[in-house]
Every structure is written in structure tokens, then in C-alpha cells.
Amino acid sequence: MRQLPSDKKNLLRQRFLTAAKLAVSTVLIYWVFRKFDFGEAWIKLEGIRATTILVVFGLSAVQVALLGLRWTLICRWWNSKFAQRHGFSTLFAGLFFGQAMPSSIGGDAIRAFLLFRRYRFSISEAILATLVDRAVGLVALLLLATLFAPSYLALYDTELGILGWQGAATVAALVGLGLLALIAFRIAARAGFWPRVLGKILRALPVVRKAELVPAFVLGALSHFALLVSAFIWFSEISPGIPISAFFVLAPIGLLLSALPISIGGWGVRETSLVFLFTRIDVPAADALLLGLGIGLLSLAQGLVCGTLWASAELLRRDRNSDFVKQEPRRRYLPFR
């Protein structure tokens, strides 16, 4: 039997993964929309004030700024000369490919690739920086939700089982992080770096110190807090009266589940999990679905804006570099006399 070339196999595998993610998102979105009342939802959306939308987008910009500071701080553990503008550039590219592009590449892989290809990180350092940044974000989100858990339990003492979903979502997110690490290692293996890259990652791991993790966790918690506050303001306009403690416990579970690499940009998984969780505390399913759609559209807008800024910066960088390229003067060949 004739075997396919390795490049063609990789291309078919990427297309299969993209199609599988698209199928998961499509099925879940269809399931949550099958009894959705668009007329009632439109009436609620018309009642949202313009100032609320401005505040939500402003907090979204603050979140991206905090993410850029955290990403730059982590990258400087391995490269002290890593500039802030480089951190925001790679972050913008990662947000664009991770949230606005329906591909199997993912924003984390793009960030690691840019660190390795452009900013003189080794392949092990680039992979480890990306994994550490992802782990810090997930743990910070979990810790932020845990802070509101006591007040949530005081309000909903009959819904103790709902916190089991927080643990399940955490485990699922960690499994997703492990899958991301496995994919990164397999890419390194195909490139001829395995098992050398694993040894380099283990040798690069002591660079991460406990004292340096504290500001990273603080920035991670602040970035998630900005996202949750913007989502809570949006949700309060749609479904007023929900306690902030309940929102800050349940919403992170949906965000943790949407971080799993099983769908396109978290679409479908985020909406389904939020509908399931918030209906447990008597929130209408339509309101919970509008919350998931709002978070998804906000993430999509972030990706598009960051992608536009990243592409513009790339064009300016190429134009600037081309200005310094001197054309070789033409040689004048004179005949011998």
C-alpha cells in the first residue's frame, strides 16, 4: 500500500482536527439554540445602555493590557532583554489566531513560534514560557472564584454540589493544558528535538522562582477580574438581581471549560456550560445564553482588534527594515584599452 508523505499526513491531520472542533461547536450551539426565543432576546438587548457597552469595552482593553504585562514578565524569566513591545506583539498575534481564526494552530502555538523564530528563545524556553503563562492564568482564575465561594455557599446552601463542577472544570482545564503540552512535544519530536527538548525544558524549569510567580499571579487575577466585572455588568443589564458572588463562582467554570482545545475558540462549550450552571440557580436559560454569546463576541472583538494592530505593526516593521536595505550599486564594466 502506498503511504502518504509526512507533510500531507500533517495537513490532513490538521484539517481533521479543525473539522472535529467545528463539529463540536456546531452541535453544541445548535443544542442551546433549539428553544431560544430571538424576539425576547432582542428586547433585552435593546435595553442595554450605550454607557454599559463602553464600560465593557474599556474593561476589555484593561484586561488585554494586564495580559500583556503578565506575558512579558514571564518571558523575561528566560530573556531579560525581552521588550514590552515584543510581549504585546506576540500576545496580539496569539489572541488573533486563538480567538478570531478557526484553525487548529492555536494562539499558544503562535506565541511559542514567534518567541523561537524572532526573539532568540530556544524551543524549550518558548514552549515552557507558553505553558507557564497558560497555567498561571488558569490557577489565578480558580483562586479568584474560590474567594467568592464562601459567600456563594451562604446564599445557595442547597446547591453545594455545584462546586463539584468547579473542581471538574479545573481538572478538565488541566487535562487541556496537558494535551497542549503533548501537542507541543509531538511537534518538537517531528522537528527532531525529541527527547533533547524535554531535557532542556526540565533544565529551564528552575528559572521559575516562587518570588517571581507572585506578580504573575497578581496580574493574572487582575486580568480575569476585569473580564468578570465586564461580563457581570453586561449580565446585570440582561438579568438583574443575580448576586455577584454567584456570578464570580459560576462564570469561571464556564471559562475554564471553554479553555479546553475541543472547539473553535470555545464556542459552544462556553454557552452550554453557562446555560447548565446558571439554570441551577433559577436564571433563565436565554439570559445565560446571552451571557455566553456576549463573552464570546467580546473575545472575538479582542482577537480582531489585536490582529489588526499586530498586522499593522508587522507592516511598519517591514517598511522600516526595507528603508535600511541599501541597494547594491551597479558595476560599470569598462572595456580594456
Side-chain angles (χ1 to χ4, degrees):
M1 182 180 295
R2 184 178 180 182
Q3 294 183 351
L4 294 175
S6 59
D7 294 341
K8 197 168 185 178
K9 285 184 179 180
N10 294 335
L11 180 61
L12 291 176
R13 187 179 292 109
Q14 290 179 2
R15 290 180 177 178
F16 174 77
L17 291 176
T18 303
K21 291 182 179 181
L22 184 60
V24 171
S25 296
T26 303
V27 170
L28 292 177
I29 289 176
Y30 170 77
W31 185 81
V32 296
F33 268 103
R34 70 191 191 283
K35 297 182 180 179
F36 187 70
D37 190 350
F38 289 92
E40 182 182 357
W42 182 253
I43 293 175
K44 291 185 177 182
L45 292 176
E46 285 183 335
I48 298 177
R49 295 168 293 181
T51 53
T52 300
I53 298 176
L54 292 176
V55 170
V56 168
F57 277 102
L59 289 173
S60 176
V62 172
Q63 182 207 5
V64 173
L66 292 171
L67 289 175
L69 293 175
R70 187 188 75 191
W71 172 240
T72 306
L73 174 65
I74 292 176
C75 290
R76 283 177 177 172
W77 295 348
W78 291 275
N79 185 354
S80 59
K81 297 182 180 180
F82 190 73
Q84 191 72 63
R85 65 179 185 275
H86 299 156
F88 277 97
S89 176
T90 52
L91 175 69
F92 287 172
L95 291 176
F96 175 66
F97 283 95
Q99 298 176 358
M101 291 292 290
S103 65
S104 60
I105 299 175
D108 293 331
I110 291 295
R111 287 191 295 170
F113 174 77
L114 290 176
L115 290 181
F116 170 71
R117 188 66 179 270
R118 181 172 296 175
Y119 299 111
R120 297 182 179 180
F121 281 67
S122 66
I123 185 65
S124 57
E125 293 172 346
I127 294 175
L128 188 57
T130 306
L131 294 178
V132 169
D133 181 72
R134 175 65 70 174
V136 167
L138 293 177
V139 175
L141 180 60
L142 176 63
L143 293 177
L144 188 62
T146 305
L147 291 177
F148 289 87
S151 57
Y152 169 81
L153 292 175
L155 290 173
Y156 302 95
D157 54 352
T158 59
E159 294 287 344
L160 294 175
I162 203 71
L163 291 182
W165 283 91
Q166 185 174 352
T170 304
V171 173
L174 293 177
V175 170
L177 185 63
L179 291 175
L180 177 64
L182 180 61
I183 292 172
F185 290 152
R186 291 193 65 180
I187 293 174
R190 292 194 182 96
F193 292 103
W194 183 267
R196 186 174 70 247
V197 66
L198 180 58
K200 289 185 176 180
I201 288 178
L202 295 176
R203 288 193 295 270
L205 191 58
V207 175
V208 182
R209 301 183 181 90
K210 294 181 180 179
E212 295 174 338
L213 281 173
V214 174
F217 276 116
V218 171
L219 290 173
L222 290 176
S223 63
H224 287 303
F225 184 77
L227 172 62
L228 292 174
V229 169
S230 63
F232 179 76
I233 293 173
W234 163 269
F235 195 53
S236 298
E237 293 283 331
I238 299 172
S239 182
I242 183 173
I244 190 172
S245 59
F247 184 88
F248 271 66
V249 170
L250 299 181
I253 301 177
L255 296 178
L256 286 170
L257 290 174
S258 65
L260 293 173
I262 59 175
S263 62
I264 299 294
W267 287 98
V269 177
R270 175 180 52 247
E271 289 73 24
T272 304
S273 59
L274 290 177
V275 167
F276 175 81
L277 293 168
F278 279 93
T279 51
R280 304 279 80 78
I281 58 173
D282 299 328
V283 173
D287 296 350
L289 180 56
L290 287 176
L291 170 63
L293 293 176
I295 296 176
L297 292 175
L298 184 62
S299 300
L300 181 62
Q302 280 183 348
L304 292 175
V305 172
C306 291
T308 302
L309 294 175
W310 173 69
S312 301
E314 287 294 304
L315 291 176
L316 290 176
R317 186 181 66 85
R318 292 181 181 180
D319 292 341
R320 192 181 304 113
N321 292 339
S322 63
D323 292 340
F324 290 100
V325 176
K326 297 181 179 180
Q327 295 182 356
E328 184 179 357
R330 295 181 179 179
R331 298 180 180 178
R332 298 178 62 182
Y333 295 94
L334 300 178
F336 292 102
R337 294 181 178 179

